Short mmCIF file of all heavy atoms in Angstrom, two decimals:
data_model
loop_
_atom_site.label_atom_id
_atom_site.label_comp_id
_atom_site.label_asym_id
_atom_site.label_seq_id
_atom_site.Cartn_x
_atom_site.Cartn_y
_atom_site.Cartn_z
N SER P 1319 40.45 108.94 18.87
CA SER P 1319 41.86 109.15 19.17
C SER P 1319 42.08 108.89 20.65
O SER P 1319 41.16 109.03 21.46
CB SER P 1319 42.31 110.57 18.81
OG SER P 1319 41.75 111.52 19.69
N SER P 1320 43.31 108.50 20.99
CA SER P 1320 43.62 108.17 22.38
C SER P 1320 44.13 109.37 23.16
O SER P 1320 44.69 109.22 24.24
CB SER P 1320 44.67 107.05 22.41
OG SER P 1320 44.14 105.86 21.89
N GLY P 1321 43.97 110.57 22.60
CA GLY P 1321 44.42 111.78 23.26
C GLY P 1321 44.98 112.78 22.26
O GLY P 1321 44.81 112.63 21.05
N LEU P 1322 45.65 113.80 22.77
CA LEU P 1322 46.22 114.84 21.93
C LEU P 1322 47.71 114.99 22.19
O LEU P 1322 48.18 114.78 23.32
CB LEU P 1322 45.55 116.19 22.16
CG LEU P 1322 44.27 116.45 21.34
CD1 LEU P 1322 43.08 115.75 21.99
CD2 LEU P 1322 43.99 117.95 21.23
N LEU P 1323 48.44 115.36 21.14
CA LEU P 1323 49.85 115.66 21.26
C LEU P 1323 50.04 117.10 20.81
O LEU P 1323 50.01 117.40 19.63
CB LEU P 1323 50.69 114.70 20.42
CG LEU P 1323 52.21 114.72 20.67
CD1 LEU P 1323 52.83 113.38 20.29
CD2 LEU P 1323 52.90 115.84 19.90
N GLY P 1324 50.19 118.00 21.79
CA GLY P 1324 50.34 119.42 21.48
C GLY P 1324 51.73 119.75 20.98
O GLY P 1324 52.72 119.22 21.49
N LEU P 1325 51.81 120.62 19.98
CA LEU P 1325 53.08 120.99 19.38
C LEU P 1325 53.38 122.48 19.51
O LEU P 1325 54.35 122.97 18.94
CB LEU P 1325 53.08 120.62 17.89
CG LEU P 1325 52.97 119.12 17.58
CD1 LEU P 1325 52.70 118.91 16.09
CD2 LEU P 1325 54.23 118.39 18.00
N ALA P 1326 52.56 123.21 20.25
CA ALA P 1326 52.74 124.66 20.36
C ALA P 1326 53.79 125.00 21.42
O ALA P 1326 54.46 124.13 21.98
CB ALA P 1326 51.41 125.33 20.67
N PHE P 1327 53.92 126.32 21.70
CA PHE P 1327 54.91 126.80 22.66
C PHE P 1327 54.65 126.25 24.05
O PHE P 1327 53.51 126.16 24.50
CB PHE P 1327 54.91 128.33 22.70
CG PHE P 1327 55.27 128.96 21.39
CD1 PHE P 1327 54.32 129.56 20.59
CD2 PHE P 1327 56.59 128.93 20.95
CE1 PHE P 1327 54.67 130.13 19.38
CE2 PHE P 1327 56.94 129.49 19.74
CZ PHE P 1327 55.97 130.10 18.95
N GLY P 1328 55.73 125.90 24.74
CA GLY P 1328 55.62 125.34 26.08
C GLY P 1328 54.99 126.26 27.10
O GLY P 1328 54.52 125.81 28.13
N THR P 1329 54.97 127.55 26.80
CA THR P 1329 54.43 128.52 27.76
C THR P 1329 52.94 128.35 28.00
O THR P 1329 52.41 128.85 28.99
CB THR P 1329 54.71 129.95 27.28
OG1 THR P 1329 54.24 130.09 25.92
CG2 THR P 1329 56.19 130.27 27.35
N ILE P 1330 52.22 127.66 27.09
CA ILE P 1330 50.79 127.47 27.29
C ILE P 1330 50.48 126.05 27.78
O ILE P 1330 49.32 125.67 27.84
CB ILE P 1330 49.98 127.80 26.02
CG1 ILE P 1330 50.36 126.86 24.86
CG2 ILE P 1330 50.15 129.25 25.62
CD1 ILE P 1330 49.45 127.03 23.64
N ASN P 1331 51.51 125.29 28.13
CA ASN P 1331 51.29 123.98 28.72
C ASN P 1331 50.58 124.15 30.06
O ASN P 1331 50.87 125.08 30.81
CB ASN P 1331 52.62 123.26 28.91
CG ASN P 1331 52.47 121.92 29.59
OD1 ASN P 1331 52.57 121.83 30.81
ND2 ASN P 1331 52.21 120.88 28.82
N THR P 1332 49.65 123.24 30.38
CA THR P 1332 48.80 123.44 31.56
C THR P 1332 49.28 122.72 32.82
O THR P 1332 48.61 122.80 33.85
CB THR P 1332 47.36 123.00 31.26
OG1 THR P 1332 47.30 121.57 31.13
CG2 THR P 1332 46.83 123.67 30.00
N VAL P 1333 50.39 121.99 32.75
CA VAL P 1333 50.86 121.26 33.93
C VAL P 1333 51.22 122.23 35.05
O VAL P 1333 51.88 123.25 34.83
CB VAL P 1333 52.07 120.37 33.58
CG1 VAL P 1333 52.69 119.79 34.84
CG2 VAL P 1333 51.65 119.25 32.63
N LYS P 1334 50.79 121.90 36.26
CA LYS P 1334 51.11 122.69 37.45
C LYS P 1334 51.78 121.78 38.46
O LYS P 1334 51.51 120.59 38.51
CB LYS P 1334 49.82 123.29 38.04
CG LYS P 1334 49.17 124.31 37.14
CD LYS P 1334 47.93 124.91 37.79
CE LYS P 1334 47.30 125.99 36.91
NZ LYS P 1334 46.11 126.58 37.53
N PRO P 1335 52.70 122.33 39.27
CA PRO P 1335 53.03 123.75 39.42
C PRO P 1335 53.96 124.32 38.36
O PRO P 1335 54.09 125.53 38.25
CB PRO P 1335 53.70 123.80 40.80
CG PRO P 1335 54.33 122.45 40.93
CD PRO P 1335 53.39 121.50 40.28
N THR P 1336 54.60 123.47 37.56
CA THR P 1336 55.55 123.96 36.56
C THR P 1336 55.22 123.36 35.20
O THR P 1336 55.15 122.14 35.06
CB THR P 1336 57.01 123.58 36.93
OG1 THR P 1336 57.30 124.07 38.24
CG2 THR P 1336 57.98 124.18 35.93
N PRO P 1337 55.01 124.20 34.16
CA PRO P 1337 54.74 123.68 32.82
C PRO P 1337 55.87 122.78 32.34
O PRO P 1337 57.02 122.95 32.72
CB PRO P 1337 54.64 124.95 31.97
CG PRO P 1337 54.25 126.03 32.93
CD PRO P 1337 54.97 125.67 34.21
N VAL P 1338 55.55 121.80 31.49
CA VAL P 1338 56.54 120.88 30.96
C VAL P 1338 56.74 121.13 29.47
O VAL P 1338 55.93 121.76 28.81
CB VAL P 1338 56.10 119.41 31.18
CG1 VAL P 1338 55.98 119.12 32.66
CG2 VAL P 1338 54.78 119.13 30.46
N LYS P 1339 57.85 120.63 28.94
CA LYS P 1339 58.16 120.81 27.52
C LYS P 1339 57.32 119.87 26.66
O LYS P 1339 57.06 118.73 27.03
CB LYS P 1339 59.65 120.57 27.26
CG LYS P 1339 60.56 121.61 27.88
CD LYS P 1339 62.01 121.33 27.54
CE LYS P 1339 62.92 122.39 28.13
NZ LYS P 1339 64.35 122.14 27.81
N THR P 1340 56.93 120.37 25.51
CA THR P 1340 56.23 119.54 24.54
C THR P 1340 57.24 118.69 23.79
O THR P 1340 58.45 118.98 23.82
CB THR P 1340 55.48 120.43 23.53
OG1 THR P 1340 56.44 121.20 22.80
CG2 THR P 1340 54.52 121.38 24.23
N PRO P 1341 56.80 117.63 23.09
CA PRO P 1341 57.75 116.83 22.31
C PRO P 1341 58.54 117.66 21.31
O PRO P 1341 59.72 117.42 21.08
CB PRO P 1341 56.84 115.81 21.60
CG PRO P 1341 55.69 115.66 22.54
CD PRO P 1341 55.47 117.03 23.11
N GLY P 1342 57.90 118.66 20.70
CA GLY P 1342 58.58 119.49 19.71
C GLY P 1342 59.67 120.36 20.30
O GLY P 1342 60.57 120.81 19.59
N LYS P 1343 59.61 120.60 21.63
CA LYS P 1343 60.60 121.46 22.28
C LYS P 1343 61.58 120.67 23.14
O LYS P 1343 62.48 121.24 23.74
CB LYS P 1343 59.88 122.49 23.17
CG LYS P 1343 58.88 123.36 22.42
CD LYS P 1343 59.53 124.16 21.33
CE LYS P 1343 58.48 125.02 20.61
NZ LYS P 1343 59.08 125.78 19.49
N SER P 1344 61.40 119.35 23.20
CA SER P 1344 62.24 118.53 24.05
C SER P 1344 63.68 118.49 23.55
O SER P 1344 63.93 118.50 22.36
CB SER P 1344 61.68 117.10 24.13
OG SER P 1344 62.55 116.26 24.84
N GLN P 1345 64.61 118.41 24.48
CA GLN P 1345 66.03 118.30 24.15
C GLN P 1345 66.51 116.86 24.27
O GLN P 1345 67.70 116.58 24.17
CB GLN P 1345 66.85 119.19 25.09
CG GLN P 1345 66.47 120.66 25.05
CD GLN P 1345 66.63 121.26 23.67
OE1 GLN P 1345 67.67 121.08 23.04
NE2 GLN P 1345 65.61 121.95 23.19
N GLN P 1346 65.55 115.92 24.50
CA GLN P 1346 65.92 114.53 24.73
C GLN P 1346 65.75 113.67 23.46
O GLN P 1346 65.75 112.46 23.53
CB GLN P 1346 65.04 113.95 25.84
CG GLN P 1346 65.02 114.75 27.12
CD GLN P 1346 66.25 114.51 27.97
OE1 GLN P 1346 66.93 113.53 27.78
NE2 GLN P 1346 66.52 115.38 28.91
N CYS P 1347 65.56 114.30 22.29
CA CYS P 1347 65.24 113.56 21.07
C CYS P 1347 66.47 112.84 20.51
O CYS P 1347 67.55 113.40 20.44
CB CYS P 1347 64.70 114.50 19.99
SG CYS P 1347 63.16 115.29 20.45
#
Side-chain angles (χ1 to χ4, degrees):
S1319 71
S1320 294
L1322 274 80
L1323 192 155
L1325 296 169
F1327 298 106
T1329 52
I1330 62 172
N1331 177 267
T1332 69
V1333 171
K1334 294 182 178 180
T1336 304
V1338 298
K1339 292 182 179 180
T1340 64
K1343 303 300 180 182
S1344 174
Q1345 302 300 312
Q1346 307 281 342
C1347 297

